[in-house]
Amino acid sequence: MILVIKNDSQKRQLDNLISWIKSLGLNVHLSHGENSTIMGIIGDTSLLDIDLVSSLDIVETVKRISEPYKKSNRKFHPQDTIIQVADAKFGGNNFAVIAGPCSVENEEQIISIAVDVKAAGATALRGGAFKPRTSPYAFQGLRADGIRLLLLAKAETSLPIVTEIMSVTHLDMFSDVDVIQVGARNMQNFELLKELGRSNKPILLKRGLANTMEEWIMSAEYIMAEGNNRVILCERGIRTFEHYTRNTLDLSAIPLIKELTHLPVIVDPSHASGLARLVAPLSLASAGVGSDGLIIEVHNNPEKALCDGPQCIRPNQFADIMRRIRVILPLVGKESAF
Ligand code: PEP
Ligand code: MN
């Protein structure tokens, strides 16, 4: 981190600043020019609050030269992290697809969809048991019973299951879940992230509705800082001024996040667009920019879905996407496992 110190600063103020920085275990390198003093801070500057430093009287400007995230940073871990969940491999030259309904609705629905998506090549089953709905009057999910039904579908198909957690207090109910999803609305629920960091489960961390890439990576860092390195990032669209789509898919995040971190990154084209007819083109585009996989909402009867029907595709449309993706994967150095 580099600080430019104001011209009119007193020596006493500068000495105070230096002793505070040293008390944090960091080192200081000063360079006195004719018109200004430049201070280089050496060491783990993630300990320093950049906003606090910028607000100090004697500080003119501050520039971070290294990122505030360490564990997820590709600089310190150049190889791709590969996260294996049953037969699904996320990261490296693998491409994994999670598919299933927005919400688990009943036994017949979840088992029938699980069988269909497996036949098309999906390597994991999704289904919400706890649903984050804008309205408290909308279907809230089957909760514990939803998890029970997902486990039945897992027993039937051997697909690992992915489902969203909304509260730390529910963690015990997730003991047999294979991947715990943190939804967009909870991306910055830091107490939840810390608790999941102490669990031994892979975490699917969705990008927040209005969060920068750096904030998203810092949320992954929260989980990793507690010892859990199995974090899969998921770009699911961000909120912009556009209202023809539910969100705006930020495809540029995929190659950039993969450059900045070693974590796998997948795309959710369903929540990104909110429109079933855009799921195929966005899935292909995501594979084309190097995504490590997809999470797609698939329903056997979208018109009757209790949640997110307009963005759910049917099993035959899902199978068609899988066939077309297979053609793209070799072009981006990925192997198709389906
Ligand atoms: C979901 O996956 O069902 C979901 C609610 O997604 P998001 O958190 O991205 O809105
Ligand atoms: Mn949904």
Side-chain angles (χ1 to χ4, degrees):
M1 188 182 281
I2 308 247
L3 313 189
V4 178
I5 305 296
K6 284 183 189 158
N7 265 343
D8 55 358
S9 318
Q10 314 278 315
K11 179 166 183 318
R12 183 185 48 80
Q13 290 175 297
L14 188 59
D15 289 345
N16 283 346
L17 176 60
I18 294 172
S19 49
W20 174 62
I21 291 170
K22 288 193 168 165
S23 74
L24 296 171
L26 300 164
N27 259 319
V28 164
H29 180 270
L30 281 179
S31 148
H32 297 281
E34 234 168 71
N35 299 314
S36 56
T37 299
I38 310 286
M39 182 189 290
I41 305 181
I42 303 140
D44 182 3
T45 53
S46 61
L47 299 168
L48 277 180
D49 178 344
I50 191 162
D51 296 324
L52 176 69
V53 176
S54 325
S55 70
L56 297 175
D57 276 352
I58 65 166
V59 175
E60 176 95 46
T61 50
V62 181
K63 187 164 170 47
R64 237 189 221 296
I65 50 169
S66 63
E67 299 82 11
Y69 44 90
K70 304 285 169 217
K71 305 232 182 248
S72 54
N73 200 323
R74 200 181 272 281
K75 273 188 199 153
F76 309 117
H77 186 296
Q79 325 83 300
D80 288 335
T81 282
I82 298 175
I83 299 174
Q84 178 147 12
V85 188
D87 288 340
K89 281 191 194 154
F90 297 85
N93 59 4
N94 307 286
F95 192 88
V97 182
I98 306 167
C102 178
S103 316
V104 182
E105 298 172 5
N106 55 61
E107 182 174 334
E108 185 279 324
Q109 175 240 22
I110 192 67
I111 291 186
S112 132
I113 297 172
V115 168
D116 286 347
V117 298
K118 177 163 184 176
T123 37
L125 175 69
R126 66 151 287 149
F130 292 89
K131 293 306 304 175
R133 304 304 298 277
T134 302
S135 165
Y137 309 116
F139 175 59
Q140 302 286 305
L142 298 180
R143 303 171 69 88
D145 208 41
I147 296 183
R148 182 183 68 79
L149 296 179
L150 280 169
L151 290 167
L152 283 184
K154 175 179 174 175
E156 190 77 23
T157 57
S158 72
L159 286 176
I161 55 174
V162 182
T163 195
E164 177 170 355
I165 192 164
M166 301 228 295
S167 164
V168 177
T169 59
H170 297 159
L171 196 52
D172 285 348
M173 285 185 246
F174 285 68
S175 54
D176 294 323
V177 166
D178 298 284
V179 176
I180 301 181
Q181 174 175 327
V182 175
R185 290 153 193 83
N186 271 311
M187 189 204 88
Q188 288 191 312
N189 181 340
F190 300 118
E191 289 303 314
L192 176 62
L193 299 177
K194 284 188 216 169
E195 198 60 43
L196 294 175
R198 294 190 278 268
S199 83
N200 59 355
K201 303 273 184 194
I203 309 298
L204 179 67
L205 178 65
K206 289 195 151 195
R207 181 176 183 179
L209 303 168
N211 285 109
T212 63
M213 292 185 220
E214 187 169 283
E215 287 164 342
W216 184 22
I217 300 172
M218 290 309 285
S219 288
E221 198 73 14
Y222 259 92
I223 299 169
M224 299 174 86
E226 296 294 329
N228 185 354
N229 291 324
R230 295 200 291 166
V231 180
I232 303 161
L233 297 168
C234 176
E235 163 61 41
R236 46 79 72 206
I238 47 174
R239 183 163 284 189
T240 66
F241 47 81
E242 183 51 65
H243 57 94
Y244 279 1
T245 49
R246 184 174 178 182
N247 291 290
T248 298
L249 178 56
D250 182 8
L251 274 182
S252 56
I254 310 307
L256 202 47
I257 292 276
K258 290 179 69 71
E259 196 179 292
L260 298 170
T261 82
H262 52 88
L263 298 174
V265 190
I266 68 169
V267 173
D268 174 345
S270 312
H271 291 89
S273 65
L275 297 168
R277 65 182 190 282
L278 293 194
V279 170
L282 297 185
S283 298
L284 300 180
S286 302
V289 295
S291 167
D292 294 306
L294 292 163
I295 176 166
I296 300 184
E297 285 191 347
V298 179
H299 200 287
N300 49 1
N301 193 355
E303 292 81 19
K304 295 266 166 62
L306 295 182
C307 184
D308 286 349
Q311 70 194 34
C312 286
I313 58 169
R314 292 172 190 283
N316 65 320
Q317 296 170 306
F318 175 69
D320 188 51
I321 293 175
M322 296 295 270
R323 276 190 289 273
R324 293 161 71 194
I325 282 182
R326 226 175 278 148
V327 181
I328 294 179
L329 293 182
L331 304 177
V332 288
K334 297 267 190 198
E335 277 168 16
S336 147
F338 46 87

